[in-house]
Amino acid sequence: MKFEQLGLIEPILKALQHEGYVTPTPIQTQAIPVILQGKDLLGCAQTGTGKTAAFAIPIIQELFEKKDANQSKPHIKTLVLTPTRELAIQIDESFAAYGKFAGLKHTVIYGGVGQKPQTDALRRGIDILTATPGRLLDLMNQGYVHLEHIQIFVLDEADRMLDMGFIHDVKKVIAKLPHKRQSLFFSATMPPEIIKLASAIVHNPVKVEVTPSATTVETINQSLYHVDKGMKKNLLVHLLKDDAIARVLVFTRTKHGANKVVKDLTHAGIGAEAIHGNKSQTARQNALKNFKNGTTRALVATDIAARGLDVDDLTHVINYEIPNIPETYVHRIGRTGRAGASGTAISFCDSEERAYLRDIQKLIGIQIPIEKDKFYSTETPTGTITEPKPAGRGNSPRQGGGRNGQQRHSRQGNQPQQRRNNAPKQNADGNSQEQKSQSGNHSGNGQSGNNNRNGNQPPRSNPGKKPSYGNRQNYKEDAPQEKAAQPNRKHPSTPKENFWDKSKRWIKGASKMFA
């Protein structure tokens, strides 16, 4: 089937020809006729299947046919709500490309940048508005956006909206929309929560499902490495030594992790940049631009940017960290193998991520083939993968009730092992230090020297026998001493004087002084 067979108007066909599009994708073949009939649509399609054009092309045609030439300032007639900045920008670019000869006005609003250019465009009047939820609600509260003239409402990437916590914002926006409207609902997956949300937005929709819910594209070659967490960076650098990987998109779960991977790759001489929520919008756009034009070989991204990356001829995606949400895996690897092209998705899995891997394989319905590398791969786990139990009561060896979990010791014969092993050390000639000390001291005053602190106790008859330290006093007196004994303090047997005895002694001394 060709685009000409879908009943499209000449301005759109001319724009498609200019973009080099001839044959529609399956989602476009099914969705475009339904939307042109004015019906609500519930679309389940993976990323990279041409979903944006599936709703952008018929929307442009509907607005073009209803355009009022006498209206000086257009009102917002179509609202497209999407979760990420990058995706919002790319949807607006699609409206610009397909509506190049239609004469419709459009703009995009999102956070992270100044609002003045956006509010200036809104003042001039637009037909199509693409927005992220946060900035849209902000400008609505300021009075720049009015939704009473909306004719078509599009909620794109609904499951990602749910994952990112935007559902409450979406509901606030929906509450401001006219009740009579055409609603288009798109999601890559259809979990029960999304179906419940869709029932509140669309009415008697036509369901279009290109592939089963939450399945991966068949043209993507998936593989898996079991690797220790500390060896992931080495394995990544090792794989990128292959010049066949011209550009690679690397996914991490956290922003800190993305920055760390960029640092490791840069240290290895591989050009890399990060794109995540802590980056300014300008930095994110520059990183994406450098990646698309080939200046940067590796782009490291978090899941928040996973849906908004549309890069032509991207052949490799690497999951540096396994996502903890199974559906996220589908969205990640959907960055490659787009529009029927082939692609490769490689995943690194450490021991702590095996439970996540199990959930992913259960969702997509296949076992990901395992690759082995003799330098970095660990042994493939066998048996049932179980989730690690959290540390807590009953999961660790029982310890004594001493402070800070230290083990209790009885006072008789249960001292720590190192105390019981303080036997005299042997010298090179086989004699102990204690024996040498005794022989030296017997030649002098008959005292045992180092082993007799006060010179009042005889030396032990068998210095090689392990002493029994029944209490701390015996330990102090009997244990071998490495240092020489300190001389006794002055007046060691003198008891401590109380106040009255000290006063009497002072008065007695003073009387002798003045006598």
Side-chain angles (χ1 to χ4, degrees):
M1 179 178 285
K2 305 294 183 180
F3 278 109
E4 290 81 357
Q5 299 174 267
L6 295 176
L8 300 179
I9 58 177
E10 184 60 30
I12 295 179
L13 293 175
K14 184 178 179 180
L16 292 174
Q17 185 179 6
H18 186 269
E19 295 293 324
Y21 298 143
V22 178
T23 304
T25 63
I27 182 66
Q28 295 166 3
T29 303
Q30 297 182 47
I32 290 176
V34 174
I35 298 174
L36 289 176
Q37 295 174 14
K39 297 179 181 180
D40 286 6
L41 182 109
L42 179 62
C44 180
Q46 300 166 358
T47 55
T49 56
K51 174 166 51 66
T52 302
F55 66 78
I57 291 174
I59 287 175
I60 294 172
Q61 180 157 326
E62 283 194 58
L63 297 182
F64 180 81
E65 293 175 344
K66 297 177 182 179
K67 185 166 60 173
D68 186 0
N70 297 325
Q71 186 179 7
S72 58
K73 181 180 177 180
H75 301 293
I76 303 175
K77 301 179 182 65
T78 297
L79 173 64
V80 181
L81 206 57
T82 190
T84 65
R85 309 171 192 174
E86 286 76 20
L87 187 54
I89 293 172
Q90 289 171 177
I91 291 175
D92 185 67
E93 291 175 349
S94 296
F95 277 111
Y98 307 140
K100 183 180 299 184
F101 306 106
L104 299 175
K105 296 183 178 180
H106 57 88
T107 193
V108 57
I109 60 175
Y110 50 84
V113 295
Q115 70 175 31
K116 189 176 186 309
Q118 300 174 3
T119 56
D120 290 344
L122 292 171
R123 286 195 188 97
R124 292 190 294 266
I126 57 172
D127 298 291
I128 304 170
L129 175 63
T130 305
T132 55
R135 177 54 64 92
L136 176 61
L137 288 173
D138 186 18
L139 296 185
M140 287 172 60
N141 294 332
Q142 296 183 45
Y144 290 107
V145 177
H146 304 280
L147 304 179
E148 59 268 16
H149 299 286
I150 293 293
Q151 300 174 10
I152 305 173
F153 171 64
V154 182
L155 182 61
D156 193 21
E157 303 287 359
D159 51 349
R160 188 59 176 158
M161 290 277 195
L162 180 65
D163 295 341
M164 297 175 65
F166 288 150
I167 292 300
H168 295 293
D169 291 341
V170 171
K171 291 180 179 179
K172 291 179 182 179
V173 173
I174 294 174
K176 299 293 183 180
L177 296 174
H179 181 72
K180 186 179 179 180
R181 66 179 188 272
Q182 182 181 10
S183 299
L184 312 177
F185 187 99
F186 289 93
S187 180
T189 58
M190 285 289 176
E193 299 86 352
I194 295 300
I195 296 176
K196 182 179 179 181
L197 176 65
S199 63
I201 297 177
V202 294
H203 303 282
N204 299 322
V206 176
K207 187 174 182 180
V208 175
E209 188 172 2
V210 176
T211 55
S213 178
T215 58
T216 52
V217 179
E218 295 180 356
T219 57
I220 300 177
N221 179 28
Q222 303 176 62
S223 60
L224 173 70
Y225 285 88
H226 286 284
V227 58
D228 291 333
K229 187 174 183 179
M231 296 298 291
K232 285 187 176 183
K233 62 179 181 180
N234 303 73
L235 178 58
L236 179 61
V237 173
H238 173 70
L239 293 178
L240 294 184
K241 289 180 180 179
D242 185 1
D243 295 334
I245 306 178
R247 285 183 297 183
V248 59
L249 180 58
V250 183
F251 280 106
T252 63
R253 285 197 302 267
T254 65
K255 305 167 188 175
H256 173 73
N259 292 334
K260 190 174 185 301
V261 171
V262 170
K263 183 178 179 181
D264 293 336
L265 291 178
T266 304
H267 182 72
I270 301 172
E273 291 185 83
I275 178 171
H276 52 68
N278 281 356
K279 298 284 186 178
S280 66
Q281 187 59 35
T282 302
R284 292 166 70 168
Q285 289 300 113
N286 289 338
L288 187 57
K289 179 181 177 181
N290 293 336
F291 185 62
K292 287 182 176 181
N293 61 28
T295 304
T296 302
R297 185 183 177 192
L299 183 65
V300 186
T302 55
D303 293 323
I304 195 172
R307 301 290 187 90
L309 299 180
D310 187 8
V311 182
D312 295 334
D313 302 325
L314 177 62
T315 58
H316 287 77
V317 168
I318 294 179
N319 291 304
Y320 189 84
E321 294 172 327
I322 301 293
N324 56 348
I325 301 175
E327 290 81 4
T328 302
Y329 176 83
V330 179
H331 305 314
R332 284 185 178 184
I333 69 172
R335 298 302 99 201
T336 185
R338 300 176 69 83
S342 60
T344 301
I346 303 172
S347 300
F348 299 166
C349 181
D350 60 46
S351 59
E352 297 177 358
E353 298 172 324
R354 290 172 186 168
Y356 303 151
L357 175 63
R358 177 199 61 192
D359 295 339
I360 290 171
Q361 294 183 144
K362 181 179 178 181
L363 178 71
I364 63 179
I366 63 172
Q367 294 292 319
I368 303 175
I370 298 175
E371 299 287 342
K372 291 186 178 181
D373 187 280
K374 62 181 180 180
F375 296 110
Y376 304 105
S377 296
T378 58
E379 289 296 328
T380 304
T382 58
T384 303
I385 301 176
T386 57
E387 297 185 17
K389 294 183 179 180
R393 195 169 184 176
N395 294 329
S396 59
R398 185 175 180 180
Q399 295 181 343
R403 183 174 298 178
N404 298 330
Q406 295 176 354
Q407 206 169 9
R408 290 179 177 175
H409 304 284
S410 65
R411 298 185 63 84
Q412 296 294 332
N414 195 23
Q415 296 293 339
Q417 187 67 24
Q418 68 266 21
R419 292 183 177 178
R420 299 205 298 262
N421 291 339
N422 282 332
K425 298 180 180 180
Q426 299 290 330
N427 292 326
D429 57 358
N431 296 325
S432 67
Q433 293 179 353
E434 186 175 331
Q435 289 173 332
K436 281 190 173 185
S437 176
Q438 288 177 2
S439 61
N441 289 332
H442 278 301
S443 62
N445 55 7
Q447 300 285 342
S448 61
N450 292 341
N451 291 318
N452 250 341
R453 174 174 290 189
N454 296 326
N456 299 324
Q457 297 180 359
R460 293 195 303 270
S461 59
N462 189 0
K465 182 181 178 181
K466 291 184 179 180
S468 175
Y469 304 137
N471 52 47
R472 188 168 294 276
Q473 181 67 23
N474 290 338
Y475 165 73
K476 289 183 179 180
E477 293 179 355
D478 295 342
Q481 303 293 327
E482 295 183 0
K483 295 183 180 180
Q486 299 293 331
N488 294 335
R489 294 181 181 179
K490 190 176 182 180
H491 308 296
S493 60
T494 303
K496 186 176 180 180
E497 294 180 313
N498 58 31
F499 174 76
W500 296 110
D501 293 338
K502 188 174 182 179
S503 299
K504 290 177 182 180
R505 184 169 56 82
W506 184 85
I507 293 173
K508 185 177 179 179
S511 61
K512 290 181 180 180
M513 184 183 300
F514 295 103

